[in-house]
Amino acid sequence: MNYLIKGASAIFCHDAAASDIRIQQGYIIEIGRQLAQLPGETCIQARDCVIYPGLVNTHHHIAQSILKGIPAGLNQPLGEWLASVPYRFWPHITPDIMYAAACLGFSELLRSGTTTCADHHYLYHATTSPELEAAVWQAADDVGIRLVLCRGGATRQGSHKGMRSNPVEPESIAQCLARLDLSRSRYHQSGGDAMRKLVVAPTSLVHSSSPADLRLLAEFARSHGLKMHSHLLEVSFDEIQAQQTYQMSAVDYAESCHWLGEDVWFAHLVQANERDIATLAGSRTGIAHCPTSNCRLGSGIAPVIRMAQAGMPVSIGVDGSASSESGSMIQELNLTWLLHRAQQGAEATSLETVLKWGTEDGARLLGLDKVGKLAVGYAADLVIYDLRAPRFSGCHSPLLAPILCGEPVDIRYTFVHGRPVVKNGAPQLDPHRLASQARKAIKALLSRSA
């Protein structure tokens, strides 16, 4: 179906005066003012609204959508929290539980304006059923979100605190590569506007795979044109283990295992120092900045301003809802804008830069170079934010109001590849059904893990 969106107060695009967008066959074909409705077009009125590119979440753990506020982990730092929360429960997550969690989490992301999610899915062990991963792909299809599945997992327990404290038997590297190849042949799509992409993403670069296994994974990824992702330097434990085990820094270790480059991005990098930043920037390795989770777990604040100045690609991630309970990209953008000003002064960040990190730059990092920007020829992933609520009425900068004012936001429509997946604030899946499914999944999970 073709659409004409008319009368927006502002659009985040190259034309400051634009108010209308024309969509045909899933793509933006025209942006301007007073565009005339053509035969066969559905007209959507966007009066008192601003239009953004769909937000691009470059690091998430969608399984954690039913693990919010676990009492044991509320006041724990990362290592202990991993044992108390995600690694305590994940061996007990069935495909049905996974599907309920994913539908809930993807719908929650859509509610804040996210149209692309890179889910770091790490629920793999020696006897994992392929239906567990299939449930994530299916949920993304049913909700209508664009999915980049970052295929995690571990090939050894190593020094990973979460795995060491729970009876989880890792995959062998042969199992991991065989399963990766099966997922690639079943799900991965090439192209800069793909609805499905697969990424090679061992759960922890330092702790959960050997150097030889990491090199094999890098070789597999690059031989098939897949991106690469992992956690690194979220806390100082990565650096300590790399120095003690390999007698080099964590970033140098990544480089020695062929895990730096413009096809690689890491989540967090909170503890990166100036030398690390220079090495990462020199290789064009990127970051998924996850400020809420880093605050929630007391990990610190990633030095993304210095990273951006050095030339590193910067993007924004929500991280899992077990450590970022809002599940909102708008919160991440708002907090990114504020945190670095608190550290470095009012000129450290601008709302326009932060929005670009959360859209176009994130999409490019994921290999989606026809997504994340409102321009002719790009996939029509866009969000129409409604500013009629009283809380926005006093804002003199309507284009920036959703980030500037933060949550709660109201969405009139969200489009993914030219298809409306949120209409008048409601996602495709019934919210009452989502809540009921989630409650049943939590009950089943608690029973299984008891």
Side-chain angles (χ1 to χ4, degrees):
M1 189 174 288
N2 299 329
Y3 295 89
L4 176 63
I5 303 170
K6 284 189 65 68
S9 299
I11 299 175
F12 189 76
C13 67
H14 71 285
D15 183 358
S19 61
D20 305 344
I21 299 177
R22 194 185 307 280
I23 300 170
Q24 290 187 3
Q25 304 300 315
Y27 295 90
I28 297 169
I29 68 159
E30 193 173 3
I31 299 176
R33 289 186 65 82
Q34 299 181 337
L35 301 182
Q37 185 176 356
L38 300 177
E41 285 184 336
T42 297
C43 186
I44 293 176
Q45 293 295 333
R47 183 180 177 184
D48 299 320
C49 295
V50 298
I51 305 177
Y52 284 1
L55 305 181
V56 178
N57 174 12
T58 59
H59 183 72
H60 204 84
H61 300 297
I62 208 71
Q64 294 180 14
S65 301
I66 55 172
L67 298 178
K68 295 185 178 185
I70 300 295
L74 282 177
N75 299 306
Q76 291 181 319
L78 177 67
E80 290 72 19
W81 174 88
L82 285 170
S84 296
V85 182
Y87 279 82
R88 170 188 167 195
F89 288 105
W90 82 255
H92 308 289
I93 295 177
T94 65
D96 286 345
I97 293 172
M98 184 69 247
Y99 178 77
C103 286
L104 177 67
F106 288 141
S107 295
E108 189 172 43
L109 288 169
L110 284 177
R111 187 210 59 76
S112 71
T114 305
T115 56
T116 297
C117 177
D119 178 40
H120 196 180
H121 180 67
Y122 54 75
L123 310 191
Y124 302 90
H125 49 87
T127 58
T128 300
S129 161
E131 284 76 18
L132 198 63
E133 180 188 300
V136 183
W137 294 107
Q138 186 62 54
D141 282 352
D142 292 347
V143 171
I145 200 166
R146 199 180 293 273
L147 174 62
V148 177
L149 191 138
C150 302
R151 202 280 190 191
T155 56
R156 66 175 188 179
Q157 282 191 333
S159 52
H160 194 289
K161 290 184 177 181
M163 293 194 71
R164 290 173 67 88
S165 61
N166 290 279
V168 179
E169 182 183 352
E171 298 176 293
S172 68
I173 186 61
Q175 277 183 314
C176 179
L177 291 170
R179 291 167 171 176
L180 264 168
D181 200 42
L182 185 61
S183 295
R184 180 189 63 83
S185 63
R186 282 183 176 174
Y187 301 110
H188 180 72
Q189 299 168 348
S190 59
D193 58 1
M195 286 297 294
R196 292 173 162 185
K197 280 191 177 292
L198 182 71
V199 170
V200 177
T203 306
S204 171
L205 202 74
V206 173
H207 306 293
S208 58
S209 295
S210 70
D213 289 352
L214 290 174
R215 293 185 188 105
L216 286 172
L217 289 167
E219 181 182 354
F220 176 90
R222 289 179 173 129
S223 68
H224 293 291
L226 303 181
K227 296 279 187 175
M228 299 156 62
H229 179 57
S230 190
H231 295 94
L232 193 66
L233 288 173
E234 185 172 1
V235 292
S236 58
F237 186 54
D238 284 5
E239 183 69 17
I240 291 168
Q241 286 298 307
Q243 294 283 0
Q244 290 181 352
T245 307
Y246 305 110
Q247 293 75 53
M248 63 180 83
S249 73
V251 170
D252 286 346
Y253 173 67
E255 184 174 37
S256 75
C257 296
H258 309 158
W259 270 81
L260 296 185
E262 60 184 3
D263 54 354
V264 181
W265 82 102
F266 292 115
H268 306 303
L269 291 173
V270 171
Q271 302 298 326
N273 59 32
E274 292 297 336
R275 183 176 178 277
D276 295 331
I277 292 170
T279 301
L280 292 163
S283 62
R284 295 292 295 165
T285 303
I287 178 178
H289 181 34
C290 305
T292 299
S293 178
N294 296 156
C295 288
R296 162 80 157 76
L297 297 174
S299 302
I301 302 172
V304 294
I305 306 304
R306 298 205 305 278
M307 291 173 173
Q309 291 169 346
M312 280 183 65
V314 176
S315 67
I316 309 293
V318 172
D319 206 358
S321 293
S323 63
S324 182
E325 276 83 354
S326 74
S328 167
M329 272 291 283
I330 284 291
Q331 169 157 318
E332 300 305 328
L333 297 179
N334 176 270
L335 188 56
T336 297
W337 175 60
L338 294 173
L339 271 182
H340 304 286
R341 288 175 161 229
Q343 282 189 314
Q344 300 174 51
E347 296 181 353
T349 53
S350 73
L351 290 161
E352 294 87 349
T353 295
V354 168
L355 181 52
K356 187 170 179 288
W357 287 348
T359 54
E360 183 181 357
D361 292 355
R364 188 181 300 116
L365 204 63
L366 299 178
L368 295 168
D369 56 7
K370 285 297 180 182
V371 173
K373 185 177 180 180
L374 297 181
V376 171
Y378 275 69
D381 288 20
L382 57 88
V383 186
I384 305 176
Y385 288 102
D386 194 329
L387 302 185
R388 290 177 297 178
R391 67 186 303 266
F392 295 113
S393 61
C395 185
H396 292 238
S397 303
L399 178 61
L400 301 171
I403 306 175
L404 184 65
C405 299
E407 289 284 10
V409 290
D410 295 322
I411 291 175
R412 195 172 295 183
Y413 279 86
T414 296
F415 283 79
V416 176
H417 214 102
R419 185 166 70 93
V421 295
V422 173
K423 297 180 181 179
N424 295 317
Q428 293 188 143
L429 300 185
D430 176 64
H432 298 293
R433 181 185 167 200
L434 283 171
S436 176
Q437 282 183 337
R439 284 191 288 267
K440 289 178 181 177
I442 291 170
K443 184 177 180 180
L445 185 61
L446 290 172
S447 175
R448 289 175 58 84
S449 62

